[in-house]
Each structure stands twice: as C-alpha cells, then as structure tokens.
C-alpha cells in the first residue's frame, strides 16, 4: 500500500523497524544484521547513502548498533553508533526520542569497552552520556530516570564501587518496571547479572539472568531470551 502511494521513505522506516523486531524474535539468520524477511540491510543502506536519505541511514546505523550491543558485539556496536552520531551531527537531528536513546546506547557501549580496553576515550563518551541523561531525566523522569540509573550503575561497576553499583542496578530494574519499559528492565537485569557474576556472587547473578530471560520473553524478544539462555548461566 505504501509503495502504491509512493510513500517510499515511510515504507523503508517500517521495514527497518520490522526487521529489528524479527531479529529480536530470533527470526533472522544473523541477529546483528538487518537482513531478512523485511529488508536487505546492504541494499537499503547503500541506496540511502547514494540518495542522501540520511534519516533512513541513521535508523539503520542506530538500530544496528543497538542489536550488536544486545547480542554481545560491543566493538561493532561502537562503530555503527559512531556512524549514526556523524549523521546526527551533520543533519542537526532534532528527534528527541532518538537522540536520547542513542546517547543511552552510546553510554552503555562505552562503559563495556572501557572495562575491556581501558582506553580513556570510552570513559569520556560514557560520562558525557550520563551528563545528557541527567538533563533529560529532569524533564521526562518516567522515560529517562531508569536509563540514568543504569548508566550510573555501569559507571560504579567500572570504578569498582560495588555498593553504589548494586544500588543503581536495583533502581534501574525497579524504575523501568514501574514505568512499563520491559525491554529496559530486561536489559537492567542482564547487566546486573554480569556485574554480580564478575563479583563472584553466582546466586545473585543467576537470579538476575533468570529475570532478564523472563522479561525478554515477556517483551516478545525470544531471540534475545535464547541468547541469554545459551550464553549465561542461570
């Protein structure tokens, strides 16, 4: 119908979001690539770049980064997030929801890479994400306060401040659940499981992984739930 009425851009937006959903549901060959029943990532991305349809390219880079982080490839996630940020800066993107979620994602990716590499640039990006989220949390607490709590939990985890990390992870899981963000609650439980396992608390880690698995299933992300089941002990 959209193609019939020449709503090409709108159709491509829907294709991207549908493929993201299929990947999360486990209905794609590669969970980290937006290629499947809804679209071919390479074809649509190359066409968007050639035609300078930057919003479509931005969506592919942002959601691709999200999937890579979700499925455990923070290095590739950071590369895609950087490309998305370049487009956002170039086009002066004013889509507040996307800008907020991208800053949140960049922060999570950067804290993960800070622990892996020890490179200062990742800590700098992560701290900047916290600063942005602190501002948004003042105006939209129901959407952003739990995101801020998760970023602060990751920062405390990075610094080795276990008491603060545990406190903020709990705030993130409770806040996201209270406001109906099941996907963020699932992610918060997953990240808390990683924290507790790193600290040697296998019982608490197992509890968090189990909660994450159940919340991902509740969200409909069977592919991600299976990823948790296969890769983490609980």
């Amino acid at each position: 119908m959209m193609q019939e009425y020449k709503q090409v851009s709108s159709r491509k937006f829907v294709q991207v979001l549908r493929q993201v959903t299929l990947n999360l549901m486990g209905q794609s060959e590669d969970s980290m690539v937006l290629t499947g029943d809804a679209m071919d990532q390479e074809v649509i991305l190359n066409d968007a770049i050639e035609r300078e349809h930057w919003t479509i390219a931005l969506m592919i880079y942002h959601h691709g980064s999200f999937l890579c982080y979700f499925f455990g490839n923070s290095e590739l996630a950071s590369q895609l997030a950087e490309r998305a940020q370049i487009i956002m800066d170039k086009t002066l993107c004013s889509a507040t929801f996307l800008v907020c979620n991208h800053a949140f994602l960049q922060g999570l990716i950067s804290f993960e890479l800070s622990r892996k590499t020890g490179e200062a640039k990742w800590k700098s990006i992560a701290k900047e994400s916290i600063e942005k989220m602190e501002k948004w949390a003042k105006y939209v607490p129901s959407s952003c306060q739990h995101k801020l709590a998760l970023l602060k939990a990751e920062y405390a985890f990075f610094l080795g401040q276990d008491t603060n990390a545990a406190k903020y992870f709990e705030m993130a899981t409770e806040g996201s659940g209270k406001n109906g963000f099941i996907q963020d609650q699932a992610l918060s439980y997953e990240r808390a499981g990683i924290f507790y396992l790193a600290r040697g608390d296998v019982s608490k880690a197992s509890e968090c992984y189990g909660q994450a698995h159940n919340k991902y299933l509740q969200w409909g992300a069977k592919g991600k739930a299976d990823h948790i089941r296969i890769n983490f002990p609980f």
Side-chain angles (χ1 to χ4, degrees), residues 111-146:
F111 278 127
E112 180 74 8
L113 291 176
S114 290
R115 285 193 297 274
K116 286 184 177 180
T117 69
E119 294 179 19
K121 72 172 185 176
W122 299 120
K123 180 180 177 181
S124 177
I125 294 172
K127 288 181 68 176
E128 184 178 343
S129 296
I130 288 179
E131 291 170 1
K132 291 177 180 178
M133 200 60 65
E134 284 176 335
K135 294 178 182 178
W136 292 322
K138 293 178 182 178
Y139 299 104
V140 196
S142 61
S143 297
C144 298
Q145 195 66 52
H146 66 273

Tab-separated table of all heavy atoms in Angstrom, residues 111-146:
chain	number	residue	atom	x	y	z
A	111	PHE	N	30.878	2.130	28.350
A	111	PHE	CA	31.271	1.527	29.634
A	111	PHE	C	31.763	0.099	29.438
A	111	PHE	O	32.737	-0.328	30.079
A	111	PHE	CB	30.104	1.553	30.624
A	111	PHE	CG	29.936	2.860	31.326
A	111	PHE	CD1	28.725	3.528	31.327
A	111	PHE	CD2	31.014	3.446	31.993
A	111	PHE	CE1	28.574	4.743	31.981
A	111	PHE	CE2	30.870	4.673	32.649
A	111	PHE	CZ	29.651	5.317	32.636
A	112	GLU	N	31.111	-0.637	28.537
A	112	GLU	CA	31.539	-2.001	28.245
A	112	GLU	C	32.958	-2.001	27.671
A	112	GLU	O	33.815	-2.796	28.088
A	112	GLU	CB	30.564	-2.637	27.249
A	112	GLU	CG	30.896	-4.064	26.856
A	112	GLU	CD	30.606	-5.084	27.948
A	112	GLU	OE1	29.993	-4.714	28.970
A	112	GLU	OE2	31.007	-6.252	27.777
A	113	LEU	N	33.214	-1.096	26.727
A	113	LEU	CA	34.536	-1.038	26.107
A	113	LEU	C	35.583	-0.455	27.056
A	113	LEU	O	36.764	-0.778	26.939
A	113	LEU	CB	34.463	-0.224	24.807
A	113	LEU	CG	33.682	-0.908	23.678
A	113	LEU	CD1	33.577	0.007	22.462
A	113	LEU	CD2	34.326	-2.234	23.281
A	114	SER	N	35.151	0.395	27.989
A	114	SER	CA	36.091	0.912	28.995
A	114	SER	C	36.658	-0.213	29.831
A	114	SER	O	37.858	-0.263	30.124
A	114	SER	CB	35.378	1.920	29.908
A	114	SER	OG	35.077	3.112	29.238
A	115	ARG	N	35.782	-1.147	30.231
A	115	ARG	CA	36.244	-2.277	31.041
A	115	ARG	C	37.132	-3.217	30.225
A	115	ARG	O	38.076	-3.795	30.748
A	115	ARG	CB	35.044	-3.033	31.613
A	115	ARG	CG	34.361	-2.322	32.764
A	115	ARG	CD	33.395	-3.247	33.503
A	115	ARG	NE	32.310	-3.678	32.652
A	115	ARG	CZ	31.190	-2.985	32.470
A	115	ARG	NH1	31.038	-1.813	33.069
A	115	ARG	NH2	30.237	-3.451	31.686
A	116	LYS	N	36.818	-3.360	28.941
A	116	LYS	CA	37.578	-4.291	28.108
A	116	LYS	C	38.946	-3.748	27.710
A	116	LYS	O	39.926	-4.492	27.660
A	116	LYS	CB	36.779	-4.627	26.840
A	116	LYS	CG	35.606	-5.564	27.062
A	116	LYS	CD	34.951	-5.911	25.733
A	116	LYS	CE	33.815	-6.918	25.910
A	116	LYS	NZ	33.187	-7.260	24.611
A	117	THR	N	38.988	-2.458	27.371
A	117	THR	CA	40.208	-1.902	26.772
A	117	THR	C	40.989	-0.973	27.686
A	117	THR	O	42.199	-0.814	27.514
A	117	THR	CB	39.867	-1.118	25.495
A	117	THR	OG1	39.142	0.091	25.837
A	117	THR	CG2	39.011	-1.959	24.555
A	118	GLY	N	40.299	-0.316	28.630
A	118	GLY	CA	40.959	0.661	29.492
A	118	GLY	C	41.273	1.969	28.788
A	118	GLY	O	41.923	2.858	29.362
A	119	GLU	N	40.783	2.135	27.549
A	119	GLU	CA	41.047	3.359	26.797
A	119	GLU	C	40.219	4.517	27.343
A	119	GLU	O	39.018	4.395	27.576
A	119	GLU	CB	40.743	3.151	25.315
A	119	GLU	CG	41.659	2.154	24.638
A	119	GLU	CD	41.324	1.959	23.169
A	119	GLU	OE1	40.645	2.828	22.597
A	119	GLU	OE2	41.734	0.932	22.607
A	120	ALA	N	40.883	5.660	27.509
A	120	ALA	CA	40.255	6.820	28.146
A	120	ALA	C	39.084	7.376	27.344
A	120	ALA	O	38.135	7.930	27.916
A	120	ALA	CB	41.295	7.916	28.368
A	121	LYS	N	39.136	7.233	26.013
A	121	LYS	CA	38.085	7.847	25.184
A	121	LYS	C	36.714	7.262	25.483
A	121	LYS	O	35.699	7.974	25.415
A	121	LYS	CB	38.404	7.697	23.696
A	121	LYS	CG	38.258	6.303	23.127
A	121	LYS	CD	38.398	6.316	21.609
A	121	LYS	CE	38.140	4.949	21.000
A	121	LYS	NZ	38.195	4.987	19.522
A	122	TRP	N	36.674	5.984	25.841
A	122	TRP	CA	35.378	5.360	26.125
A	122	TRP	C	34.783	5.896	27.417
A	122	TRP	O	33.574	6.142	27.506
A	122	TRP	CB	35.524	3.840	26.192
A	122	TRP	CG	36.014	3.234	24.921
A	122	TRP	CD1	37.151	2.497	24.742
A	122	TRP	CD2	35.405	3.333	23.630
A	122	TRP	NE1	37.287	2.126	23.430
A	122	TRP	CE2	36.231	2.625	22.721
A	122	TRP	CE3	34.244	3.952	23.155
A	122	TRP	CZ2	35.920	2.528	21.364
A	122	TRP	CZ3	33.941	3.850	21.803
A	122	TRP	CH2	34.774	3.145	20.928
A	123	LYS	N	35.623	6.108	28.408
A	123	LYS	CA	35.148	6.688	29.666
A	123	LYS	C	34.605	8.083	29.429
A	123	LYS	O	33.584	8.478	30.001
A	123	LYS	CB	36.288	6.722	30.690
A	123	LYS	CG	35.887	7.306	32.036
A	123	LYS	CD	37.074	7.311	32.993
A	123	LYS	CE	36.686	7.958	34.321
A	123	LYS	NZ	37.834	7.990	35.268
A	124	SER	N	35.270	8.860	28.575
A	124	SER	CA	34.843	10.219	28.278
A	124	SER	C	33.466	10.233	27.615
A	124	SER	O	32.589	11.021	27.987
A	124	SER	CB	35.869	10.899	27.368
A	124	SER	OG	35.445	12.198	27.010
A	125	ILE	N	33.259	9.354	26.628
A	125	ILE	CA	31.963	9.269	25.944
A	125	ILE	C	30.874	8.840	26.922
A	125	ILE	O	29.762	9.379	26.920
A	125	ILE	CB	32.041	8.279	24.769
A	125	ILE	CG1	32.995	8.803	23.690
A	125	ILE	CG2	30.653	8.033	24.174
A	125	ILE	CD1	33.280	7.802	22.591
A	126	ALA	N	31.194	7.877	27.777
A	126	ALA	CA	30.218	7.368	28.738
A	126	ALA	C	29.795	8.442	29.735
A	126	ALA	O	28.609	8.596	30.038
A	126	ALA	CB	30.799	6.165	29.475
A	127	LYS	N	30.757	9.206	30.231
A	127	LYS	CA	30.443	10.273	31.191
A	127	LYS	C	29.602	11.352	30.527
A	127	LYS	O	28.706	11.925	31.153
A	127	LYS	CB	31.737	10.854	31.747
A	127	LYS	CG	32.473	9.929	32.711
A	127	LYS	CD	33.738	10.561	33.261
A	127	LYS	CE	33.427	11.718	34.180
A	127	LYS	NZ	34.671	12.270	34.785
A	128	GLU	N	29.864	11.632	29.261
A	128	GLU	CA	29.066	12.614	28.533
A	128	GLU	C	27.626	12.140	28.392
A	128	GLU	O	26.686	12.926	28.498
A	128	GLU	CB	29.674	12.854	27.154
A	128	GLU	CG	28.966	13.934	26.347
A	128	GLU	CD	29.611	14.187	24.994
A	128	GLU	OE1	30.775	13.772	24.799
A	128	GLU	OE2	28.954	14.799	24.134
A	129	SER	N	27.449	10.842	28.206
A	129	SER	CA	26.103	10.271	28.109
A	129	SER	C	25.347	10.438	29.421
A	129	SER	O	24.147	10.735	29.427
A	129	SER	CB	26.179	8.784	27.728
A	129	SER	OG	26.732	8.615	26.450
A	130	ILE	N	26.034	10.251	30.536
A	130	ILE	CA	25.410	10.450	31.843
A	130	ILE	C	24.977	11.898	32.012
A	130	ILE	O	23.861	12.180	32.479
A	130	ILE	CB	26.366	10.039	32.979
A	130	ILE	CG1	26.518	8.523	33.028
A	130	ILE	CG2	25.863	10.549	34.330
A	130	ILE	CD1	27.464	8.024	34.106
A	131	GLU	N	25.822	12.824	31.616
A	131	GLU	CA	25.504	14.253	31.734
A	131	GLU	C	24.259	14.606	30.921
A	131	GLU	O	23.399	15.366	31.376
A	131	GLU	CB	26.693	15.087	31.292
A	131	GLU	CG	27.888	14.998	32.239
A	131	GLU	CD	29.138	15.641	31.672
A	131	GLU	OE1	29.079	16.177	30.540
A	131	GLU	OE2	30.188	15.606	32.350
A	132	LYS	N	24.163	14.052	29.716
A	132	LYS	CA	22.985	14.303	28.880
A	132	LYS	C	21.738	13.722	29.530
A	132	LYS	O	20.686	14.369	29.581
A	132	LYS	CB	23.179	13.692	27.494
A	132	LYS	CG	24.228	14.377	26.640
A	132	LYS	CD	24.399	13.655	25.301
A	132	LYS	CE	25.445	14.323	24.432
A	132	LYS	NZ	25.644	13.593	23.145
A	133	MET	N	21.856	12.492	30.039
A	133	MET	CA	20.702	11.825	30.615
A	133	MET	C	20.237	12.520	31.897
A	133	MET	O	19.039	12.537	32.202
A	133	MET	CB	21.026	10.356	30.889
A	133	MET	CG	19.810	9.459	31.033
A	133	MET	SD	18.750	9.430	29.562
A	133	MET	CE	19.862	8.684	28.369
A	134	GLU	N	21.142	13.098	32.638
A	134	GLU	CA	20.771	13.838	33.843
A	134	GLU	C	19.859	15.015	33.495
A	134	GLU	O	18.911	15.305	34.229
A	134	GLU	CB	22.028	14.333	34.569
A	134	GLU	CG	22.757	13.234	35.329
A	134	GLU	CD	24.057	13.712	35.955
A	134	GLU	OE1	24.651	14.693	35.446
A	134	GLU	OE2	24.488	13.101	36.948
A	135	LYS	N	20.131	15.667	32.380
A	135	LYS	CA	19.290	16.788	31.950
A	135	LYS	C	17.914	16.300	31.526
A	135	LYS	O	16.893	16.858	31.922
A	135	LYS	CB	19.971	17.531	30.792
A	135	LYS	CG	21.266	18.229	31.179
A	135	LYS	CD	21.912	18.897	29.967
A	135	LYS	CE	23.232	19.554	30.343
A	135	LYS	NZ	23.905	20.172	29.160
A	136	TRP	N	17.888	15.234	30.713
A	136	TRP	CA	16.596	14.736	30.236
A	136	TRP	C	15.766	14.144	31.363
A	136	TRP	O	14.534	14.235	31.343
A	136	TRP	CB	16.826	13.684	29.142
A	136	TRP	CG	17.387	14.255	27.879
A	136	TRP	CD1	17.062	15.449	27.309
A	136	TRP	CD2	18.380	13.668	27.029
A	136	TRP	NE1	17.796	15.647	26.150
A	136	TRP	CE2	18.603	14.581	25.951
A	136	TRP	CE3	19.092	12.483	27.049
A	136	TRP	CZ2	19.514	14.312	24.923
A	136	TRP	CZ3	19.987	12.215	26.038
A	136	TRP	CH2	20.198	13.121	24.985
A	137	ALA	N	16.421	13.544	32.336
A	137	ALA	CA	15.696	12.922	33.451
A	137	ALA	C	14.924	13.947	34.274
A	137	ALA	O	13.921	13.613	34.908
A	137	ALA	CB	16.656	12.152	34.342
A	138	LYS	N	15.375	15.190	34.259
A	138	LYS	CA	14.672	16.250	34.989
A	138	LYS	C	13.328	16.568	34.345
A	138	LYS	O	12.373	16.922	35.027
A	138	LYS	CB	15.531	17.512	35.039
A	138	LYS	CG	16.794	17.387	35.877
A	138	LYS	CD	17.600	18.686	35.829
A	138	LYS	CE	18.882	18.568	36.623
A	138	LYS	NZ	19.702	19.813	36.558
A	139	TYR	N	13.264	16.450	33.028
A	139	TYR	CA	12.057	16.830	32.289
A	139	TYR	C	11.147	15.652	31.979
A	139	TYR	O	9.929	15.809	31.910
A	139	TYR	CB	12.455	17.531	30.985
A	139	TYR	CG	13.250	18.793	31.196
A	139	TYR	CD1	14.622	18.826	30.993
A	139	TYR	CD2	12.633	19.965	31.634
A	139	TYR	CE1	15.360	19.983	31.221
A	139	TYR	CE2	13.358	21.127	31.859
A	139	TYR	CZ	14.727	21.124	31.646
A	139	TYR	OH	15.450	22.273	31.867
A	140	VAL	N	11.732	14.473	31.770
A	140	VAL	CA	10.928	13.283	31.469
A	140	VAL	C	11.400	12.135	32.366
A	140	VAL	O	11.984	11.153	31.901
A	140	VAL	CB	11.055	12.876	29.980
A	140	VAL	CG1	9.933	11.900	29.593
A	140	VAL	CG2	11.065	14.077	29.066
A	141	PRO	N	11.163	12.219	33.657
A	141	PRO	CA	11.682	11.199	34.583
A	141	PRO	C	11.157	9.797	34.310
A	141	PRO	O	11.877	8.814	34.486
A	141	PRO	CB	11.233	11.708	35.960
A	141	PRO	CG	10.109	12.663	35.679
A	141	PRO	CD	10.411	13.278	34.361
A	142	SER	N	9.899	9.679	33.865
A	142	SER	CA	9.340	8.344	33.644
A	142	SER	C	10.052	7.596	32.519
A	142	SER	O	10.110	6.367	32.525
A	142	SER	CB	7.843	8.447	33.333
A	142	SER	OG	7.623	9.210	32.159
A	143	SER	N	10.615	8.339	31.562
A	143	SER	CA	11.312	7.717	30.442
A	143	SER	C	12.820	7.632	30.638
A	143	SER	O	13.473	6.746	30.064
A	143	SER	CB	11.030	8.491	29.140
A	143	SER	OG	9.664	8.448	28.802
A	144	CYS	N	13.363	8.550	31.425
A	144	CYS	CA	14.821	8.684	31.473
A	144	CYS	C	15.472	8.372	32.816
A	144	CYS	O	16.683	8.110	32.860
A	144	CYS	CB	15.226	10.102	31.051
A	144	CYS	SG	14.768	10.504	29.357
A	145	GLN	N	14.711	8.397	33.913
A	145	GLN	CA	15.333	8.206	35.218
A	145	GLN	C	15.950	6.813	35.356
A	145	GLN	O	17.054	6.664	35.884
A	145	GLN	CB	14.295	8.429	36.331
A	145	GLN	CG	14.908	8.604	37.711
A	145	GLN	CD	15.733	9.875	37.826
A	145	GLN	OE1	15.245	10.962	37.503
A	145	GLN	NE2	16.969	9.775	38.288
A	146	HIS	N	15.252	5.810	34.861
A	146	HIS	CA	15.803	4.449	34.961
A	146	HIS	C	17.006	4.273	34.028
A	146	HIS	O	17.925	3.515	34.342
A	146	HIS	CB	14.730	3.404	34.667
A	146	HIS	CG	14.217	3.405	33.260
A	146	HIS	ND1	13.175	4.205	32.858
A	146	HIS	CD2	14.611	2.711	32.161
A	146	HIS	CE1	12.938	3.995	31.578
A	146	HIS	NE2	13.799	3.098	31.128
